[in-house]
Short mmCIF file of all heavy atoms in Angstrom, two decimals:
data_model
loop_
_atom_site.label_atom_id
_atom_site.label_comp_id
_atom_site.label_asym_id
_atom_site.label_seq_id
_atom_site.Cartn_x
_atom_site.Cartn_y
_atom_site.Cartn_z
N LEU A 165 56.38 28.05 72.47
CA LEU A 165 56.79 29.43 72.60
C LEU A 165 58.13 29.57 73.31
O LEU A 165 58.67 30.71 73.37
CB LEU A 165 55.71 30.19 73.31
CG LEU A 165 54.35 30.22 72.61
CD1 LEU A 165 53.33 31.06 73.42
CD2 LEU A 165 54.45 30.82 71.20
N GLY A 166 58.66 28.50 73.90
CA GLY A 166 59.94 28.61 74.52
C GLY A 166 59.98 29.35 75.84
O GLY A 166 61.03 29.83 76.26
N LEU A 167 58.81 29.48 76.46
CA LEU A 167 58.72 30.26 77.71
C LEU A 167 59.15 29.42 78.91
O LEU A 167 59.09 28.18 78.89
CB LEU A 167 57.33 30.78 77.89
CG LEU A 167 56.75 31.56 76.68
CD1 LEU A 167 55.30 31.97 76.91
CD2 LEU A 167 57.62 32.84 76.43
N ASP A 168 59.51 30.08 79.98
CA ASP A 168 59.93 29.41 81.22
C ASP A 168 58.69 29.35 82.13
O ASP A 168 58.34 30.33 82.78
CB ASP A 168 61.04 30.17 81.90
CG ASP A 168 61.59 29.51 83.14
OD1 ASP A 168 61.16 28.37 83.42
OD2 ASP A 168 62.41 30.12 83.85
N VAL A 169 58.05 28.18 82.19
CA VAL A 169 56.71 28.10 82.77
C VAL A 169 56.74 27.48 84.17
O VAL A 169 57.40 26.47 84.40
CB VAL A 169 55.80 27.25 81.87
CG1 VAL A 169 54.36 27.20 82.43
CG2 VAL A 169 55.76 27.82 80.44
N GLU A 170 55.96 28.07 85.07
CA GLU A 170 55.76 27.51 86.39
C GLU A 170 54.25 27.57 86.71
O GLU A 170 53.58 28.58 86.43
CB GLU A 170 56.51 28.33 87.45
CG GLU A 170 56.37 27.78 88.86
CD GLU A 170 57.26 28.50 89.83
OE1 GLU A 170 58.41 28.85 89.49
OE2 GLU A 170 56.83 28.72 91.00
N PHE A 171 53.76 26.51 87.29
CA PHE A 171 52.32 26.40 87.61
C PHE A 171 52.11 26.58 89.12
O PHE A 171 52.86 26.04 89.95
CB PHE A 171 51.74 25.06 87.16
CG PHE A 171 51.60 24.93 85.70
CD1 PHE A 171 52.60 24.27 84.94
CD2 PHE A 171 50.47 25.37 85.06
CE1 PHE A 171 52.47 24.13 83.60
CE2 PHE A 171 50.36 25.26 83.69
CZ PHE A 171 51.35 24.62 82.93
N ILE A 172 51.04 27.31 89.47
CA ILE A 172 50.49 27.31 90.82
C ILE A 172 49.09 26.78 90.69
O ILE A 172 48.29 27.26 89.89
CB ILE A 172 50.48 28.79 91.35
CG1 ILE A 172 51.93 29.28 91.51
CG2 ILE A 172 49.74 28.86 92.71
CD1 ILE A 172 51.98 30.75 91.93
N VAL A 173 48.76 25.77 91.50
CA VAL A 173 47.53 25.00 91.30
C VAL A 173 46.67 25.00 92.58
O VAL A 173 46.75 24.06 93.39
CB VAL A 173 47.83 23.56 90.85
CG1 VAL A 173 46.54 22.84 90.50
CG2 VAL A 173 48.80 23.58 89.68
N PRO A 174 45.72 25.94 92.70
CA PRO A 174 44.73 25.84 93.77
C PRO A 174 43.64 24.89 93.31
O PRO A 174 43.01 25.09 92.26
CB PRO A 174 44.22 27.31 93.91
CG PRO A 174 44.49 27.92 92.58
CD PRO A 174 45.67 27.21 91.98
N GLU A 175 43.44 23.80 94.06
CA GLU A 175 42.48 22.82 93.63
C GLU A 175 41.39 22.57 94.66
O GLU A 175 41.44 23.13 95.76
CB GLU A 175 43.16 21.52 93.24
CG GLU A 175 43.92 20.81 94.34
CD GLU A 175 44.58 19.54 93.84
OE1 GLU A 175 44.61 19.24 92.64
OE2 GLU A 175 45.13 18.81 94.74
N LEU A 176 40.41 21.72 94.25
CA LEU A 176 39.27 21.43 95.12
C LEU A 176 38.48 22.69 95.41
O LEU A 176 37.84 22.82 96.46
CB LEU A 176 39.70 20.80 96.40
CG LEU A 176 40.50 19.46 96.30
CD1 LEU A 176 41.09 19.06 97.67
CD2 LEU A 176 39.57 18.35 95.77
N THR A 177 38.49 23.61 94.45
CA THR A 177 37.83 24.92 94.67
C THR A 177 36.29 24.81 94.78
O THR A 177 35.65 25.76 95.23
CB THR A 177 38.16 25.90 93.56
OG1 THR A 177 37.68 25.38 92.27
CG2 THR A 177 39.67 26.13 93.48
N MET A 178 35.72 23.67 94.35
CA MET A 178 34.27 23.50 94.46
C MET A 178 33.84 22.78 95.72
O MET A 178 32.65 22.57 95.92
CB MET A 178 33.80 22.68 93.24
CG MET A 178 33.93 23.41 91.90
SD MET A 178 32.96 24.93 91.85
CE MET A 178 31.30 24.27 91.95
N ALA A 179 34.80 22.47 96.58
CA ALA A 179 34.47 21.67 97.78
C ALA A 179 33.42 22.38 98.66
O ALA A 179 32.53 21.70 99.25
CB ALA A 179 35.72 21.43 98.59
N ALA A 180 33.47 23.67 98.79
CA ALA A 180 32.53 24.36 99.65
C ALA A 180 31.14 24.46 99.05
O ALA A 180 30.15 24.70 99.78
CB ALA A 180 33.04 25.76 99.95
N GLN A 181 31.00 24.27 97.77
CA GLN A 181 29.70 24.36 97.09
C GLN A 181 29.03 23.02 96.80
O GLN A 181 27.84 22.95 96.61
CB GLN A 181 29.85 25.12 95.76
CG GLN A 181 30.06 26.60 95.85
CD GLN A 181 31.48 26.96 96.26
OE1 GLN A 181 32.42 26.37 95.70
NE2 GLN A 181 31.63 27.84 97.21
N VAL A 182 29.81 21.95 96.78
CA VAL A 182 29.32 20.63 96.42
C VAL A 182 29.19 19.78 97.68
O VAL A 182 30.22 19.42 98.29
CB VAL A 182 30.24 19.91 95.38
CG1 VAL A 182 29.69 18.55 95.06
CG2 VAL A 182 30.34 20.80 94.11
N PRO A 183 27.98 19.40 98.11
CA PRO A 183 27.81 18.66 99.36
C PRO A 183 28.66 17.39 99.41
O PRO A 183 29.19 17.02 100.47
CB PRO A 183 26.29 18.37 99.38
CG PRO A 183 25.69 19.48 98.63
CD PRO A 183 26.67 19.79 97.53
N ALA A 184 28.78 16.68 98.28
CA ALA A 184 29.51 15.46 98.29
C ALA A 184 30.99 15.65 98.52
O ALA A 184 31.78 14.70 98.83
CB ALA A 184 29.31 14.73 96.94
N MET A 185 31.46 16.92 98.43
CA MET A 185 32.92 17.21 98.58
C MET A 185 33.13 17.86 99.99
O MET A 185 34.23 18.34 100.25
CB MET A 185 33.37 18.15 97.51
CG MET A 185 33.34 17.54 96.10
SD MET A 185 33.84 18.73 94.85
CE MET A 185 35.60 18.97 95.21
N ALA A 186 32.15 17.88 100.84
CA ALA A 186 32.21 18.63 102.11
C ALA A 186 33.47 18.20 102.94
O ALA A 186 34.10 19.06 103.57
CB ALA A 186 30.96 18.40 102.93
N GLU A 187 33.76 16.96 102.95
CA GLU A 187 34.91 16.48 103.78
C GLU A 187 36.27 16.95 103.24
O GLU A 187 37.28 16.87 103.89
CB GLU A 187 34.91 14.94 103.85
CG GLU A 187 35.12 14.25 102.54
CD GLU A 187 35.09 12.72 102.67
OE1 GLU A 187 34.59 12.23 103.69
OE2 GLU A 187 35.61 12.07 101.73
N LEU A 188 36.24 17.46 101.97
CA LEU A 188 37.45 17.95 101.36
C LEU A 188 37.72 19.43 101.62
O LEU A 188 38.76 19.96 101.13
CB LEU A 188 37.43 17.67 99.85
CG LEU A 188 37.28 16.17 99.46
CD1 LEU A 188 37.17 16.05 97.93
CD2 LEU A 188 38.48 15.39 99.95
N VAL A 189 36.78 20.10 102.27
CA VAL A 189 36.94 21.55 102.50
C VAL A 189 38.28 21.91 103.17
O VAL A 189 38.93 22.85 102.75
CB VAL A 189 35.74 22.08 103.29
CG1 VAL A 189 36.01 23.50 103.82
CG2 VAL A 189 34.48 22.07 102.46
N PRO A 190 38.68 21.19 104.21
CA PRO A 190 40.00 21.55 104.77
C PRO A 190 41.15 21.44 103.80
O PRO A 190 42.09 22.28 103.84
CB PRO A 190 40.15 20.52 105.92
CG PRO A 190 38.76 20.17 106.30
CD PRO A 190 38.01 20.14 105.00
N LEU A 191 41.10 20.42 102.95
CA LEU A 191 42.15 20.30 101.93
C LEU A 191 42.09 21.47 100.91
O LEU A 191 43.10 21.97 100.46
CB LEU A 191 42.04 18.99 101.19
CG LEU A 191 42.35 17.73 102.01
CD1 LEU A 191 42.08 16.47 101.15
CD2 LEU A 191 43.80 17.74 102.52
N ALA A 192 40.84 21.86 100.58
CA ALA A 192 40.67 22.95 99.65
C ALA A 192 41.21 24.27 100.24
O ALA A 192 41.87 25.05 99.55
CB ALA A 192 39.22 23.11 99.30
N GLU A 193 40.94 24.49 101.52
CA GLU A 193 41.40 25.70 102.19
C GLU A 193 42.92 25.72 102.24
O GLU A 193 43.56 26.77 102.09
CB GLU A 193 40.77 25.80 103.55
CG GLU A 193 39.25 26.05 103.53
CD GLU A 193 38.63 26.03 104.91
OE1 GLU A 193 39.31 25.51 105.86
OE2 GLU A 193 37.49 26.50 105.06
N ALA A 194 43.52 24.54 102.50
CA ALA A 194 45.00 24.47 102.58
C ALA A 194 45.60 24.73 101.19
O ALA A 194 46.62 25.39 101.08
CB ALA A 194 45.39 23.10 103.09
N SER A 195 44.95 24.20 100.16
CA SER A 195 45.42 24.41 98.80
C SER A 195 45.37 25.85 98.42
O SER A 195 46.27 26.40 97.82
CB SER A 195 44.64 23.57 97.82
OG SER A 195 45.06 23.76 96.48
N ARG A 196 44.24 26.48 98.74
CA ARG A 196 44.10 27.95 98.48
C ARG A 196 45.16 28.79 99.19
O ARG A 196 45.78 29.65 98.61
CB ARG A 196 42.70 28.39 98.84
CG ARG A 196 42.40 29.85 98.60
CD ARG A 196 40.98 30.21 99.01
NE ARG A 196 40.62 31.57 98.66
CZ ARG A 196 40.94 32.66 99.40
NH1 ARG A 196 41.56 32.50 100.54
NH2 ARG A 196 40.54 33.85 99.01
N ALA A 197 45.36 28.46 100.49
CA ALA A 197 46.36 29.22 101.24
C ALA A 197 47.75 29.09 100.69
O ALA A 197 48.51 30.08 100.61
CB ALA A 197 46.33 28.75 102.71
N LYS A 198 48.08 27.87 100.28
CA LYS A 198 49.41 27.63 99.68
C LYS A 198 49.53 28.39 98.35
O LYS A 198 50.60 28.94 98.06
CB LYS A 198 49.66 26.12 99.49
CG LYS A 198 51.09 25.82 99.02
CD LYS A 198 51.31 24.36 98.88
CE LYS A 198 52.80 24.07 98.57
NZ LYS A 198 53.25 24.77 97.35
N ALA A 199 48.47 28.33 97.58
CA ALA A 199 48.52 29.03 96.27
C ALA A 199 48.74 30.48 96.47
O ALA A 199 49.52 31.13 95.72
CB ALA A 199 47.23 28.76 95.47
N LEU A 200 48.01 31.10 97.42
CA LEU A 200 48.18 32.53 97.66
C LEU A 200 49.60 32.84 98.15
O LEU A 200 50.20 33.83 97.70
CB LEU A 200 47.18 32.99 98.73
CG LEU A 200 45.70 33.02 98.21
CD1 LEU A 200 44.75 33.22 99.42
CD2 LEU A 200 45.52 34.16 97.18
N GLU A 201 50.10 31.99 99.02
CA GLU A 201 51.50 32.21 99.51
C GLU A 201 52.51 32.06 98.38
O GLU A 201 53.39 32.88 98.25
CB GLU A 201 51.75 31.20 100.63
CG GLU A 201 53.13 31.27 101.20
CD GLU A 201 53.40 30.25 102.28
OE1 GLU A 201 52.43 29.58 102.72
OE2 GLU A 201 54.58 30.06 102.68
N ASP A 202 52.34 31.02 97.60
CA ASP A 202 53.27 30.82 96.47
C ASP A 202 53.22 31.96 95.44
O ASP A 202 54.25 32.35 94.93
CB ASP A 202 52.97 29.49 95.79
CG ASP A 202 53.34 28.25 96.65
OD1 ASP A 202 54.01 28.42 97.69
OD2 ASP A 202 52.93 27.13 96.30
N ALA A 203 52.01 32.42 95.19
CA ALA A 203 51.84 33.49 94.17
C ALA A 203 52.53 34.76 94.69
O ALA A 203 53.23 35.46 93.92
CB ALA A 203 50.37 33.74 93.93
#
Side-chain angles (χ1 to χ4, degrees):
L165 299 180
L167 306 175
D168 182 7
V169 183
E170 181 174 322
F171 289 94
I172 295 175
V173 186
E175 62 180 8
L176 300 170
T177 62
M178 293 299 295
Q181 287 76 46
V182 179
M185 298 176 67
E187 64 181 19
L188 300 176
V189 168
L191 291 177
E193 292 175 345
S195 179
R196 180 179 186 276
K198 185 177 187 304
L200 289 169
E201 180 181 348
D202 290 348

